[in-house]
Amino acid sequence: MPKVSKRGQKRQNSKPEMKYLRTYIYVRLSEKDGGHGRRDSIYIQKQICEDYAKKHPEMLVVKVYADNGVTGTTFQRDAFEELMEDVANKKVDCIIVKDFARFGRDALDAVDLIDVIFPTLNIRFASVMDEYDSANPACVEDRTTNILKHFMNDYYAREVSEKLVQAHRLSRERGEFWGSRPPYGYQRAEENSKKLVPEPEEAEIIRQIFYWYVFEEMSSYDIARELNGRKILGPEDSYQKRKWGKELEKRRLWRSDGIRKILQNPVYIGAAVYGKTKQMLAQNIPLQMIPKEQWEVCENAWEAVVERAIYEKAQEIAKERWRDTLDNWAANPKEKQGADGPFKGRIFCGHCGRRLGRGRNGGNEKHKYMAYKCPSFSLTDHTECFRAVNEIYINQAVKAALRYQIQLAVESKKTYGAEFYQKLELEVAEKIKSARQKYEKYGRKLETLFEHYATGLLDCKEYQEIKATYQEEQQAARQNMKQIQLRGQHLLDQVKARMDWTEELLKYQRFQKIEKGIADRFIEKITVYSKDYVEIVFWFGDLFEKELEKELSNMEGGLPYAV
């Protein structure tokens, strides 16, 4: 008997190794995304794509590319171009997007990539929400439908943009006002809501503002304080009173920046201004600010409330004062640093809601300290707002709150780690499978029922009665299946969010100082009422303080039957 090589047997019996696909995820949002609360946020898109990859063991996620605040009508996007460089360098085996629209609304280029270039380079492409995967033969066969989706995305973006451009052009020719709310000092004409006429009381205040600024040399700050002292309603409150017939409980104060906007607005000499911003999806032009010199001004569009000579004099005075401010900054460069700080743009007064300013406070130079100041305090004597709160107290509050959240994350990891998530995922899948089987059972029952009717075992009346019962039970089973799916996905999302934020928080376990990077990553908003009362809102909300155990146990049977 010839000898058989054992080595050969091992080779024949061994399982083939799985070939992993180097997978890249691409996400995009047209408007700048500041957090995770939106249904279509960068964070949610990333989670959807990562969950899809987990369901396909061959997909090994290498990198996530994100374009935040970039229109999909152009492929000139930083992250997208980096992805295409990796494609050109043959680093990519698979690309996942949430839907076709995230990838791009430019139909011709998008279809060319998905339908021609990617298959040529042997790159697998998946669009999760469109249920498209180029590895699925059914998707390849249905390529016409997928191409049509691209053209519809492209057509929608361009058609809407083109119509808006035409509508704005016609309105300018007719001297119409298309804003959502008339500027302070004006109201809509009764005979034509697209025409503006002066509102008598507000127009008189506008004239008073220009008079103080030009003839009495009052600053915008002085004017705001004077108006607040006289308890004159500001633009927002005045509009609300005219619209609803009553004043708001909490009055909004006049502010110096609001006064400056009034002084610089040519609407008060009867001119309509168009083209301050530009955005044309039809021509792949994203939203952009247009220089004042290029604005389109239509003279005598409506009745002026201020004489042109006074308005032009106000512009001259504003330029002179601005030059003086620049000279002062140049002479005192350290003063400009006061506006910086880790909480810039996210710290507010708890009494008036205004954003706090940061600057030096105290008497002589030796005892000066950095503090957060409420601008409303100096604008009126009738306010609960504070003059200043030492930055030390804010830092102490934020440090304590963040350390508390990190401690909660440490405890959460012990209970709700990857092992728990996998177990819960299996239980959810089993529950959904069982519910689906119950629902599908009624389809077979209805088929059998019809056979009995067709063969004469049941008469028409019996058939109709039993059929109605089965359909009612089938609908109940369908609703139950949907509820189980929703509850299960909600729980999985909760646990996954905890896991993700836990890993992020644990990176900063040993932090000593609140720097801007930490504030940007975790803090959504800080509200200051006093040095002893500070509220901090994190991007992840109360995720770690939610009683997840209670939520799980409320489901039938507790954790083993969580859904």
Side-chain angles (χ1 to χ4, degrees), residues 5-216:
S5 169
K6 293 181 179 178
R7 186 182 302 169
Q9 285 181 345
K10 286 184 178 179
R11 185 179 298 114
Q12 291 173 5
N13 295 332
S14 62
K15 295 181 180 179
E17 292 184 5
M18 179 181 290
K19 181 184 177 183
Y20 289 103
L21 300 176
R22 296 168 297 176
T23 302
Y24 287 67
I25 292 173
Y26 177 75
V27 295
R28 180 187 65 79
L29 202 65
S30 296
E31 296 180 6
K32 197 70 174 177
D33 180 21
H36 309 313
R38 296 181 49 167
R39 185 170 53 184
D40 203 33
S41 68
I42 292 292
Y43 177 78
I44 296 298
Q45 290 183 50
K46 178 173 171 285
Q47 291 300 307
I48 290 173
C49 295
E50 287 180 342
D51 289 344
Y52 184 83
K54 287 177 182 177
K55 295 175 184 176
H56 296 79
E58 72 276 11
M59 294 181 179
L60 181 64
V61 177
V62 177
K63 192 171 182 179
V64 177
Y65 280 113
D67 278 310
N68 197 353
V70 185
T71 177
T73 57
T74 175
F75 280 122
Q76 294 179 352
R77 318 173 213 146
D78 293 341
F80 183 84
E81 289 177 352
E82 290 180 32
L83 174 61
M84 289 301 102
E85 284 183 19
D86 288 337
V87 168
N89 294 327
K90 297 182 179 180
K91 295 180 180 179
V92 182
D93 297 319
C94 178
I95 296 173
I96 304 176
V97 297
K98 173 183 167 283
D99 54 49
F100 287 131
R102 297 307 100 204
F103 190 64
R105 291 184 182 272
D106 191 317
L108 291 176
D109 289 339
V111 172
D112 190 45
L113 281 169
I114 296 170
D115 204 51
V116 180
I117 295 176
F118 289 166
T120 303
L121 297 174
N122 199 27
I123 293 175
R124 181 172 171 180
F125 182 83
S127 176
V128 182
M129 304 308 291
D130 297 301
E131 297 182 351
Y132 176 88
D133 190 331
S134 60
N136 184 350
C139 292
V140 177
E141 292 174 5
D142 203 21
R143 60 184 294 276
T144 304
T145 302
N146 292 310
I147 290 173
L148 182 61
K149 281 185 179 181
H150 275 297
F151 276 105
M152 289 307 295
N153 283 332
D154 183 39
Y155 173 80
Y156 173 78
R158 296 177 186 277
E159 186 72 8
V160 171
S161 177
E162 191 64 48
K163 287 182 178 179
L164 285 173
V165 171
Q166 292 174 2
H168 290 165
R169 187 181 299 118
L170 290 173
S171 73
R172 288 198 295 271
E173 292 173 358
R174 291 193 292 261
E176 295 178 343
F177 176 78
W178 278 70
S180 60
R181 193 174 80 187
Y184 182 77
Y186 284 94
Q187 60 185 352
R188 298 184 188 277
E190 292 184 2
E191 65 277 6
N192 186 351
S193 63
K194 297 294 186 293
K195 294 291 184 180
L196 296 182
V197 294
E199 201 288 321
E201 292 183 8
E202 293 181 355
E204 186 57 37
I205 294 169
I206 291 294
R207 285 189 281 268
Q208 183 66 63
I209 288 172
F210 275 89
Y211 177 83
W212 281 334
Y213 192 77
V214 173
F215 297 106
E216 297 194 7

Side-chain angles (χ1 to χ4, degrees), residues 219-277:
S219 68
S220 56
Y221 166 80
D222 294 332
I223 294 172
R225 185 170 178 82
E226 183 67 27
L227 292 171
N228 290 325
R230 297 187 183 190
K231 296 185 178 181
I232 294 174
L233 295 180
E236 182 70 26
D237 291 1
S238 180
Y239 174 77
Q240 292 292 336
K241 184 179 179 181
R242 283 195 288 112
K243 185 175 182 180
W244 305 111
K246 60 180 181 180
E247 296 184 22
L248 298 175
E249 292 183 6
K250 198 166 187 177
R251 192 164 62 91
R252 295 178 179 85
L253 297 175
W254 285 90
R255 296 162 50 177
S256 57
D257 57 343
I259 299 296
R260 286 195 295 271
K261 288 179 181 178
I262 287 175
L263 291 167
Q264 295 170 13
N265 195 342
V267 69
Y268 298 114
I269 54 173
V273 181
Y274 305 97
K276 292 183 178 181
T277 61

Side-chain angles (χ1 to χ4, degrees), residues 325-345:
T325 301
L326 291 177
D327 292 340
N328 182 55
W329 282 356
N332 302 280
K334 290 185 178 180
E335 292 299 320
K336 289 187 289 183
Q337 298 174 7
D340 297 332
F343 311 127
K344 183 179 180 181

Side-chain angles (χ1 to χ4, degrees), residues 315-363:
Q315 308 314 300
E316 293 177 14
I317 294 172
K319 288 180 181 179
E320 291 175 5
R321 292 180 180 178
W322 177 241
R323 281 193 291 267
D324 292 341
T325 301
L326 291 177
D327 292 340
N328 182 55
W329 282 356
N332 302 280
K334 290 185 178 180
E335 292 299 320
K336 289 187 289 183
Q337 298 174 7
D340 297 332
F343 311 127
K344 183 179 180 181
R346 65 186 77 242
I347 183 166
F348 300 84
C349 173
H351 301 288
C352 69
R354 290 190 61 186
R355 187 176 281 113
L356 300 183
R358 181 175 181 264
R360 297 181 183 277
N361 201 48

Side-chain angles (χ1 to χ4, degrees), residues 453-487:
Y453 169 65
T455 56
L457 292 176
L458 296 172
D459 60 29
C460 182
K461 183 179 179 182
E462 290 174 325
Y463 170 69
Q464 292 293 341
E465 289 177 352
I466 299 173
K467 178 184 176 183
T469 301
Y470 280 176
Q471 287 178 333
E472 185 177 342
E473 292 175 352
Q474 184 186 41
Q475 182 63 22
R478 183 172 181 273
Q479 288 296 114
N480 183 57
M481 180 181 69
K482 279 189 172 183
Q483 289 175 2
I484 288 174
Q485 288 175 328
L486 290 172
R487 288 202 304 266

